[in-house]
Amino acid sequence: AQKITQTQPGMFVQEKEAVTLDCTYDTSDPSYGLFWYKQPSSGEMIFLIYQGSYDQQNATEGRYSLNFQKARKSANLVISASQLGDSAMYFCAMREGWGGSEKLVFGKGTKLTVNP
Amino acid sequence: AAGVIQSPRHLIKEKRETATLKCYPIPRHDTVYWYQQGPGQDPQFLISFYEKMQSDKGSIPDRFSAQQFSDYHSELNMSSLELGDSALYFCASSPGRSSYNEQFFGPGTRLTVL
């Protein structure tokens, strides 16, 4: 079964508007971390934001915020005031457990296009 | 701030040749991960090292091997290269093994097998 599901292969947004990228996850481990990465066309993986399973508040980093709904197992990324430079692939990823399986498991990604 | 360094950035090889990719983690990071990202795909975990010992293994072919050295840099050795090995190979480093620790990615090595 897919551990991370991103149901939006592509999203379009107008410059200066907000956009939500969906991510649902599947785990039975009570301890896990959720990450969002941005991958522009140049290829590098840029860390955006992190949410821990025990964090009480939703994570925020500048224009990025994470809408964490634990009961629904969703961790949607919200980008406010979109900019042309936000056009990229966005990957949601998860790590499970403490010092066990440390790998990041990625979703298939969402390609975001910001229109002027 | 220092980032993860990967070399080379681009590599072109022929089928059945051998390639070695190098990764230099962020100073004081003791954990290194390798990921493979095929064209249009999400990154797939290959292998990881913690304190110079292999700590986890993913879908890494038997033709590939890796190690972490005493200075914490890591090398991914790929032999008998196949066309399907053409991909972007990322190295990431982390200050420890906790699920709460961010993994910092290097810029990647783009391997093309002809």
Side-chain angles (χ1 to χ4, degrees), chain B residues 51-70:
Chain B
E51 282 291 345
K52 293 154 278 185
M53 298 285 289
Q54 180 183 309
S55 58
D56 198 2
K57 194 172 180 181
S59 50
I60 183 170
D62 292 341
R63 300 178 288 108
F64 294 6
S65 64
Q67 58 181 320
Q68 186 179 32
F69 294 86
S70 58

Side-chain angles (χ1 to χ4, degrees), chain A residues 31-33 35 37 39 43 45 47 50 52-54 91 95-104 106-108, chain B residues 31 33 35 37 41-45 48 55-56 88 90 94 96-103 105-107 110:
Chain A
S31 175
Y32 53 89
F35 302 79
Y37 286 87
Q39 187 175 41
M45 292 289 281
F47 167 75
Y50 162 83
S53 59
Y54 295 118
F91 289 98
R95 288 181 74 178
E96 296 174 290
W98 285 93
S101 178
E102 312 146 13
K103 62 180 180 289
L104 281 174
F106 288 84
K108 297 299 182 187
Chain B
T31 310
Y33 311 82
Y35 294 87
Q37 185 179 26
Q41 303 294 314
D42 53 295
Q44 296 290 318
F45 171 74
S48 62
S55 58
D56 198 2
L88 188 54
F90 286 107
S94 177
R97 301 175 64 189
S98 165
S99 65
Y100 291 82
N101 288 336
E102 175 194 340
Q103 291 186 16
F105 280 73
R110 190 171 296 278

Side-chain angles (χ1 to χ4, degrees), chain B:
Chain B
V4 176
I5 297 171
Q6 290 188 247
S7 68
R9 293 292 307 278
H10 301 272
L11 191 58
I12 299 175
K13 291 286 186 178
E14 299 280 341
K15 279 174 53 177
R16 292 180 288 277
E17 285 191 325
T18 297
T20 297
L21 309 185
K22 296 185 178 182
C23 168
Y24 298 86
I26 292 172
R28 290 180 294 282
H29 282 195
D30 54 13
T31 310
V32 167
Y33 311 82
W34 286 95
Y35 294 87
Q36 177 193 58
Q37 185 179 26
Q41 303 294 314
D42 53 295
Q44 296 290 318
F45 171 74
L46 292 177
I47 195 167
S48 62
F49 294 88
Y50 169 67
E51 282 291 345
K52 293 154 278 185
M53 298 285 289
Q54 180 183 309
S55 58
D56 198 2
K57 194 172 180 181
S59 50
I60 183 170
D62 292 341
R63 300 178 288 108
F64 294 6
S65 64
Q67 58 181 320
Q68 186 179 32
F69 294 86
S70 58
D71 63 351
Y72 293 100
H73 95 271
S74 178
E75 295 184 4
L76 177 66
N77 297 296
M78 311 160 69
S79 63
S80 302
L81 287 169
E82 302 174 356
L83 296 178
D85 296 328
S86 294
L88 188 54
Y89 290 83
F90 286 107
C91 170
S93 74
S94 177
R97 301 175 64 189
S98 165
S99 65
Y100 291 82
N101 288 336
E102 175 194 340
Q103 291 186 16
F104 295 81
F105 280 73
T109 294
R110 190 171 296 278
L111 173 66
T112 302
V113 181
L114 302 176

Side-chain angles (χ1 to χ4, degrees), chain A residues 44-98:
Chain A
E44 69 266 35
M45 292 289 281
I46 302 167
F47 167 75
L48 296 178
I49 197 167
Y50 162 83
Q51 181 83 43
S53 59
Y54 295 118
D55 292 344
Q56 296 296 314
Q57 295 190 339
N58 287 345
T60 60
E61 289 286 348
R63 295 187 298 111
Y64 304 107
S65 61
L66 203 151
N67 184 2
F68 182 46
Q69 299 190 45
K70 197 170 181 177
R72 293 186 174 186
K73 294 188 174 180
S74 73
N76 298 339
L77 176 71
V78 181
I79 305 174
S80 63
S82 297
Q83 302 172 356
L84 295 178
D86 293 335
S87 293
M89 281 292 288
Y90 288 80
F91 289 98
C92 179
M94 178 173 65
R95 288 181 74 178
E96 296 174 290
W98 285 93

